[in-house]
Amino acid sequence: MPIDEAKASLKDGMQLTNKPNAVERTIIVVTAYGIAILTTILLRLSGYHPFGLILVACAIPLAIGASSFRLKGGLILALATTLIGLPFLLTGNQGTPGFLLTFLAVNLALGGGIGLVNNAREARRGKWQRAKSLDRDYSSEIFENSLNMIHFIDKDGNILKRNEISRDTLGYKPKGSLQFAKYMHPDDVSSMKVEFARLFERGEVRDVKVRFISQKRTVIPVEIRATRATQRVAVVEACDLRQQVELERRLMETEALYRYLIEDAIDTLDSGIIITDRKRQVVWANKTIERFFGVDRDGLIGIDGLRALSRYANVFEDSEDIQQAVKEAFEKGGKIDSYTCHVRPGPKRKERSLEYRSIPIATERYTGGRIDHYIDITRIKHLEKGLREKTKRLEQSNEKLEEFSHVVSHDLKEPLRTVEAFSGFVLEDYADQLDEEGVGYLKTLKKSSARMRALINDLLKLSSVHMDTNSFERVNIQLLLEETKQDLEVRLQGVNLQIADNLPTVLGSKTRIGELFSNLIVNAIKYNDKALPTVRIGYLEESENRGMNTFFVQDNGIGIESRYQERIFGIFEKLNPKEDQEGTGAGLAICKRIVEEHKGKIWVTSDVGKGTTFYFTIPKTTARREVKINA
């Protein structure tokens, strides 16, 4: 039985022993009243019986008797006492109503008051006894059914009592006295003796981790918490840590596995990586650092990050600049998004272009640390250099080609004009001297010369369609189409041209966009076989192309077969070259070039015999762009 339970039982036994039973209470009360009656008779015989003495003689047995009863018994005893003293009061001058009422009130107050006190005492005693009973029952249940090993141990280390889980886990069914040290691992005995001394000196010890040895020689890691119960007895609770230790072991194995995996992965990266902790000390540098800078990475680990940088900063062409940038990032805790540095060639390193980035670590565990990246962009720099050279050569080639085109076209147009002019002169002056076949030859020659001139002009126009997006302006399509309508007034005679209202404003070249609409309108009129050619211009309010407006030019002409719908945008392509249609076939190629220069696209849908619709996209104007244009 635990110490506290033994104390509680002893105290309960003392309470029961000190409390008189019913027979004893009756004897005490009768004796007290006998003494009171005898005292009162003696006073009466002596002729001296004042009210005060009678009151005291009755109060003493009343107090003794009421101490054994509760409220109800005390009041009944007070009335009985009043009746006993009444004959003695009536024989003297105290027999007045005032004295009688006073005598009754004193008795009731004394008996009732003592009864109330007994009520309160009995209630407290019952409550205390119930609490102790519950405490004994539940303490025993908790003690035996606890998940931890619990031991009552005296100051000498003897085990006074232990619970079921201790017996099951450790074994050791002693025939005599069992020492707590018998459980302990030999290496932990001395440290546990120190903790025991501290326990009885300070009253408790906590979070002491030691190892138990079971009867089956199994090592059991435990965490001990102990509290001193008395000057010589302590309660020691030991929590079995085997499951926790196993989980920690597995976790460490997993972490180690992932750590090795990550380290191996980092070592194989083409980027050099250096990791520093919150103290700015280097905790990791991968093998790529050695390859980039020709330094021993192990020599960098454990030293300050800036000091580590100084060991290889001399390989940079701009070493002072990069050291200053890294120093500011370390001191201010900021990050470096991109810093291009160049590595000079050396005995253990190649010439490289690197992009340096430094990022602070924001996770809770590693806050204050940094990750420095050195990304090899040597190949990208070579490609950029090659691209710049090719672009420059292409620009020079385009300039020369454009110059050549103008020169060639000028040189070609001059003899063409001569052929065309002289063919006309011959037809005007010598037509009557030529037969019909000769006149036909001259007309064909003149017509071919004119067509050749038109082809050269269209070729020049197509080659000159090149725009800089920075020169784009805000173009009001509604006003632009009104101007185009006036320019095509002769061609639009007998044509039903329908232009939608509230056409959007776009961003582009006003001249080229006007040329685009003009070519599509003329094309719609040219290839139309209806009595009333109809051309409708509008735009799609919901466009799939974000940032672009989609316009359309629709006609009710001859239509285009699906097999030709891609070809028609090629240079000098015509649906039927044998037909005597005016034009060179370069109009739609020019339209496509204008749209593409505006970063848009153009496409066609058609139904043969019913009509054709050309769609194209032009950039929307934005508030930001308009502010820039206005500025």
Side-chain angles (χ1 to χ4, degrees), residues 434-461:
L434 297 173
D435 58 12
E436 186 177 351
E437 187 176 1
V439 172
Y441 288 157
L442 287 173
K443 287 182 178 180
T444 301
L445 181 61
K446 185 178 180 181
K447 186 175 180 180
S448 297
S449 300
R451 177 173 171 76
M452 185 65 179
R453 179 166 47 82
L455 286 171
I456 293 172
N457 288 334
D458 286 344
L459 183 61
L460 279 174
K461 188 183 295 184

Side-chain angles (χ1 to χ4, degrees), residues 278-323:
R278 66 183 63 190
K279 297 179 181 179
R280 296 200 330 193
Q281 292 182 344
V282 177
V283 296
W284 180 255
N286 68 345
K287 290 183 179 179
T288 311
I289 293 295
E290 293 182 342
R291 182 158 50 89
F292 281 177
F293 307 130
V295 295
D296 180 14
R297 65 166 179 168
D298 293 332
L300 303 178
I301 296 175
I303 66 174
D304 183 79
L306 294 178
R307 185 181 168 196
L309 175 63
S310 66
R311 293 194 177 184
Y312 57 83
N314 61 306
V315 306
F316 297 117
E317 292 180 356
D318 47 353
S319 60
E320 293 183 1
D321 292 340
I322 190 171
Q323 287 188 84

Side-chain angles (χ1 to χ4, degrees), residues 251-373:
L251 181 60
M252 290 177 62
E253 288 180 353
T254 304
E255 288 180 345
L257 176 63
Y258 281 111
R259 183 172 67 251
Y260 295 146
L261 179 62
I262 292 171
E263 289 176 356
D264 290 345
I266 293 176
D267 278 341
T268 59
L269 291 177
D270 291 333
S271 300
I273 294 178
I274 295 178
I275 302 175
T276 54
D277 60 15
R278 66 183 63 190
K279 297 179 181 179
R280 296 200 330 193
Q281 292 182 344
V282 177
V283 296
W284 180 255
N286 68 345
K287 290 183 179 179
T288 311
I289 293 295
E290 293 182 342
R291 182 158 50 89
F292 281 177
F293 307 130
V295 295
D296 180 14
R297 65 166 179 168
D298 293 332
L300 303 178
I301 296 175
I303 66 174
D304 183 79
L306 294 178
R307 185 181 168 196
L309 175 63
S310 66
R311 293 194 177 184
Y312 57 83
N314 61 306
V315 306
F316 297 117
E317 292 180 356
D318 47 353
S319 60
E320 293 183 1
D321 292 340
I322 190 171
Q323 287 188 84
Q324 182 62 31
V326 174
K327 182 179 180 181
E328 291 179 0
F330 269 77
E331 291 176 350
K332 297 179 181 179
K335 69 176 182 177
I336 300 176
D337 288 326
S338 178
Y339 186 97
T340 303
C341 48
H342 304 281
V343 178
R344 294 190 295 264
K348 296 181 180 181
R349 63 181 183 271
K350 296 180 180 179
E351 182 179 3
R352 297 179 188 275
S353 294
L354 301 176
E355 183 181 61
Y356 171 70
R357 296 180 183 178
S358 183
I359 304 171
I361 301 175
T363 59
E364 183 177 352
R365 180 179 296 181
Y366 301 105
T367 298
R370 304 187 68 83
I371 301 178
D372 292 349
H373 300 259

Side-chain angles (χ1 to χ4, degrees), residues 6-21 24-25 118 120-130 132 136:
K7 287 183 176 180
S9 299
L10 180 60
K11 192 170 183 180
D12 289 347
M14 292 174 63
Q15 291 288 339
L16 293 173
T17 303
N18 294 333
K19 186 176 180 180
N21 56 33
E24 291 173 340
R25 287 201 303 270
N118 288 339
R121 185 184 297 122
E122 289 294 333
R124 286 197 300 272
R125 183 183 295 115
K127 184 177 180 180
W128 179 82
Q129 288 177 346
R130 288 193 299 271
K132 283 298 179 182
R136 286 195 303 271

Side-chain angles (χ1 to χ4, degrees), residues 344-503:
R344 294 190 295 264
K348 296 181 180 181
R349 63 181 183 271
K350 296 180 180 179
E351 182 179 3
R352 297 179 188 275
S353 294
L354 301 176
E355 183 181 61
Y356 171 70
R357 296 180 183 178
S358 183
I359 304 171
I361 301 175
T363 59
E364 183 177 352
R365 180 179 296 181
Y366 301 105
T367 298
R370 304 187 68 83
I371 301 178
D372 292 349
H373 300 259
Y374 292 93
I375 304 169
D376 191 352
I377 56 172
T378 306
R379 188 166 179 271
I380 295 176
K381 288 297 181 182
H382 288 163
L383 292 174
E384 287 180 355
K385 183 179 179 181
L387 183 60
R388 285 195 297 270
E389 292 176 353
K390 288 181 180 179
T391 302
K392 186 176 180 180
R393 289 198 300 268
L394 183 60
E395 290 175 352
Q396 293 173 350
S397 177
N398 286 338
E399 290 176 0
K400 292 179 180 179
L401 181 61
E402 189 172 350
E403 182 181 355
F404 173 77
S405 299
H406 282 87
V407 171
V408 171
S409 62
H410 180 271
D411 293 343
L412 287 176
K413 284 194 290 184
E414 190 61 35
L416 282 175
R417 278 196 294 268
T418 302
V419 171
E420 187 178 3
F422 277 94
S423 298
F425 294 156
V426 172
L427 286 173
E428 290 177 3
D429 298 337
Y430 302 100
D432 56 344
Q433 299 180 20
L434 297 173
D435 58 12
E436 186 177 351
E437 187 176 1
V439 172
Y441 288 157
L442 287 173
K443 287 182 178 180
T444 301
L445 181 61
K446 185 178 180 181
K447 186 175 180 180
S448 297
S449 300
R451 177 173 171 76
M452 185 65 179
R453 179 166 47 82
L455 286 171
I456 293 172
N457 288 334
D458 286 344
L459 183 61
L460 279 174
K461 188 183 295 184
L462 181 63
S463 64
S464 65
V465 179
H466 177 70
M467 290 168 284
D468 182 6
T469 55
N470 292 322
S471 66
F472 282 177
E473 59 183 329
R474 189 172 181 271
V475 180
N476 188 321
I477 298 298
Q478 204 77 46
L479 295 178
L480 178 65
L481 286 174
E482 289 298 326
E483 295 174 2
T484 303
K485 184 177 179 181
Q486 294 176 6
D487 294 340
L488 298 176
E489 184 177 1
V490 175
R491 284 183 172 272
L492 290 173
Q493 290 181 2
V495 176
N496 179 20
L497 179 62
Q498 301 175 5
I499 301 175
D501 296 329
N502 301 320
L503 292 174

Side-chain angles (χ1 to χ4, degrees), residues 16-35:
L16 293 173
T17 303
N18 294 333
K19 186 176 180 180
N21 56 33
V23 175
E24 291 173 340
R25 287 201 303 270
T26 302
I27 294 172
I28 291 172
V29 171
V30 170
T31 303
Y33 273 101
I35 294 171

Side-chain angles (χ1 to χ4, degrees), residues 29 33 58-59 61-82 104-119:
V29 171
Y33 273 101
C58 293
L62 174 60
I64 294 173
S67 63
S68 299
F69 297 98
R70 297 188 181 184
L71 177 61
K72 186 176 179 181
L75 293 175
I76 294 172
L77 200 59
L79 292 174
T81 303
T82 302
L104 176 62
V106 170
N107 289 333
L108 290 174
L110 185 60
I114 294 174
L116 283 173
V117 171
N118 288 339
N119 273 7

